[in-house]
Amino acid sequence: MTGTATPPLSGTQKRTIAGGAIGTLMEYYDYYLYGLASAAIFPAVFFTGEDPIVAQLSSFATFAVGFFLRPVGGLVFGHIGDRVGRKTTLMITVVGMGIATAGIGLIPPEASIGIVAPLLLIFFRMCQGFFVGGEMGGAATMVVEHAPVGKRGMYGAFLISGAGIANVASAGLMAGLGLGPESWFMTWGWRIPFVLGLVLAIIALVLRSKLEESDEFKETKQAQADAGVKSNPIREVFRHPKNAIMGILIGLPQSIAGYVVLTFGIAYMVNQNNIPAWQGFAGTMIVGILQVFVAPAYGALSDRIGRRKVYIAGCIGFALLVWPTFLLFDTSNLVLIWVGMILGFVIPGVAMQATLQTMLAEMFDPEARTTGVNIGYQISNTLGGGLAPFICTALVAVVGGQIWPVVVYCAVICLIGAIATATANISTDGARLHELRIVQAATPSTREAEKA
């Protein structure tokens, strides 16, 4: 870092950061909403004929199913983003997520249509996973490419501020509606936030229609066009496979943080301690409010001291704070439960989330950046976050309600992420990591000249 003042953002940069953050807000509103509902609502609506523990596991299994489509969506939309443009990807994903989320809110309960209800739930959840698979790679790439080099961490973290607002909106709606009559909430009330997802999609679509591609992306595409080359983004990512693998391992700790503390944590309190679900929803809303402001602070810190240091500190912090977090949950005291959510997620989890997307974008060159970010982010979220609530529920059930296996599980994941972060190749100054591969198709005369 130098003492040179960073010039003010241009109108295009401001629109890009706002469009990325607001679109991410909408995408993760949909996704967080499902996480909350799978913890406290879906077991009673779509899995009514099963033992409560089995119903909870079944609900979390549908939650995990969506994650298995995320890498597929990441590859498809990463290819579109790197070949056609980041804007195209972001326009498609936001519409797809809105339709899928509204569809979930319109599914009749199992008591009305039998097994078709959970099957429809799985279908729309898979659609959610497919479309959200292209979101973070496109948004992170778009924002980081437009942001000033010395401020990429801070502006990239605004995407996580958008996710924080999504936390507030989804949890706030659920908590507010949950204060009404329980029979009404379990029949109709929970559906309202899901249907609103389609309205948010239309708003996000309008905002994203004004986005522009970055100069870096356009220059790379022009260089390839001048050489008559159309690169394959997936092949380009794995031409240097180290960062693709490291990106997956780096993303694991941040992927489980929110789903262990907030999603599984709520289910744990509801099932083990008989805490009303609205208390967990309200705590998630508080966490989201703090996330809005804490994320850019962590991002700015990463611009000053480096992304590795902030991310590794988050890994260590999460490993150390999981145990006291669940001790606070076990008190059944409302204030201490909320303190536990802040302790377990806001302090270490947001530190990781705020730096991850910028760090991943800096691990790949423009011609494969969207694909590279998606591979790291979505596969890590599938292997980590997607399975975390299910794994934690099973571990606690096996040991008779004790939480220590969850603590060990989190510590191992954090160790893996910290080691990967320390060894990855990252370009924080905007320079390319590898020379642009431009190989013109060999003509007969070219081949003869090469032989000579």
Side-chain angles (χ1 to χ4, degrees), residues 346-390:
V346 175
I347 295 174
V350 176
M352 294 185 285
Q353 290 189 350
T355 51
L356 177 68
Q357 66 286 336
T358 302
M359 187 160 55
L360 287 177
E362 293 173 336
M363 289 167 60
F364 300 95
D365 291 319
E367 64 273 16
R369 184 169 287 149
T370 308
T371 301
V373 174
N374 279 342
I375 288 174
Y377 191 83
Q378 303 304 348
I379 294 180
S380 67
N381 271 275
T382 298
L383 299 177
L387 296 176
F390 185 89

Side-chain angles (χ1 to χ4, degrees), residues 259-312:
Y259 293 115
V260 169
V261 174
L262 304 180
T263 303
F264 166 72
I266 291 174
Y268 173 84
M269 288 185 285
V270 169
N271 295 326
Q272 297 284 333
N273 303 327
N274 297 314
I275 299 297
W278 73 264
Q279 294 186 9
F281 295 157
T284 301
M285 183 170 62
I286 294 170
V287 164
I289 293 171
L290 293 173
Q291 185 177 349
V292 173
F293 303 100
V294 173
Y298 275 130
L301 181 63
S302 78
D303 286 325
R304 293 179 62 84
I305 69 173
R307 314 225 203 279
R308 292 184 208 269
K309 293 178 181 178
V310 174
Y311 194 87
I312 291 173

Side-chain angles (χ1 to χ4, degrees), residues 39-408:
I41 296 166
F42 291 164
V45 176
F46 296 116
F47 304 99
T48 54
E50 301 176 355
D51 173 85
I53 293 178
V54 175
Q56 187 68 72
L57 287 169
S58 298
S59 181
F60 279 154
T62 68
F63 178 78
V65 163
F67 280 85
F68 290 113
L69 266 291
R70 286 175 70 155
V72 178
L75 291 175
V76 170
F77 293 113
H79 185 87
I80 294 172
D82 289 325
R83 287 286 295 272
V84 180
R86 287 70 155 118
K87 178 179 177 179
T88 302
T89 285
L90 295 176
M91 297 283 280
I92 296 172
T93 57
V94 78
V95 172
M97 275 294 288
I99 294 173
T101 300
I104 291 171
L106 298 175
I107 301 173
E110 184 186 35
S112 297
I113 60 174
I115 195 173
V116 176
L119 290 177
L120 285 173
L121 181 67
I122 291 170
F123 169 75
F124 284 119
R125 176 60 175 171
M126 292 172 70
C127 291
Q128 272 194 328
F130 177 73
F131 287 109
V132 84
E135 168 60 28
M136 185 56 77
T141 297
M142 180 75 86
V143 170
V144 169
E145 287 181 347
H146 278 86
V149 171
K151 299 287 186 179
R152 284 180 167 181
M154 184 179 70
Y155 290 119
F158 279 117
L159 296 177
I160 304 304
S161 292
I165 297 172
N167 247 341
V168 175
S170 58
L173 281 170
M174 284 295 207
L177 292 167
L179 291 174
E182 184 176 0
S183 60
W184 175 83
F185 177 67
M186 296 302 290
T187 303
W188 297 107
W190 70 266
R191 300 176 183 275
I192 295 172
F194 281 87
V195 176
L196 282 176
L198 189 57
V199 177
L200 292 176
I202 295 171
I203 296 172
L205 184 65
V206 172
L207 291 169
R208 285 190 165 176
S209 67
K210 300 176 182 179
L211 298 180
E212 299 178 20
E213 301 292 350
S214 70
D215 292 339
E216 188 177 9
F217 174 75
K218 289 187 282 189
E219 289 167 4
T220 301
K221 296 302 293 182
Q222 187 60 54
Q224 291 176 326
D226 292 344
V229 173
K230 288 186 177 181
S231 65
N232 183 317
I234 298 176
R235 186 184 304 140
E236 288 299 312
V237 168
F238 287 101
R239 189 158 64 93
H240 306 283
K242 175 184 174 181
N243 269 10
I245 297 170
M246 290 300 104
I248 295 169
L249 299 179
I250 289 169
L252 289 175
Q254 70 82 32
S255 74
I256 70 169
Y259 293 115
V260 169
V261 174
L262 304 180
T263 303
F264 166 72
I266 291 174
Y268 173 84
M269 288 185 285
V270 169
N271 295 326
Q272 297 284 333
N273 303 327
N274 297 314
I275 299 297
W278 73 264
Q279 294 186 9
F281 295 157
T284 301
M285 183 170 62
I286 294 170
V287 164
I289 293 171
L290 293 173
Q291 185 177 349
V292 173
F293 303 100
V294 173
Y298 275 130
L301 181 63
S302 78
D303 286 325
R304 293 179 62 84
I305 69 173
R307 314 225 203 279
R308 292 184 208 269
K309 293 178 181 178
V310 174
Y311 194 87
I312 291 173
C315 291
I316 296 171
F318 183 59
L320 295 175
L321 293 172
V322 172
W323 185 279
T325 293
F326 278 87
L327 289 178
L328 290 170
F329 289 172
D330 282 335
T331 65
S332 298
N333 179 281
L334 178 62
V335 175
L336 292 180
I337 287 172
W338 292 347
V339 170
M341 289 181 164
I342 295 169
L343 186 72
F345 180 69
V346 175
I347 295 174
V350 176
M352 294 185 285
Q353 290 189 350
T355 51
L356 177 68
Q357 66 286 336
T358 302
M359 187 160 55
L360 287 177
E362 293 173 336
M363 289 167 60
F364 300 95
D365 291 319
E367 64 273 16
R369 184 169 287 149
T370 308
T371 301
V373 174
N374 279 342
I375 288 174
Y377 191 83
Q378 303 304 348
I379 294 180
S380 67
N381 271 275
T382 298
L383 299 177
L387 296 176
F390 185 89
I391 290 173
C392 292
T393 301
L395 289 173
V396 170
V398 167
V399 298
Q402 299 179 62
I403 203 66
W404 67 262
V406 173
V407 177
V408 174

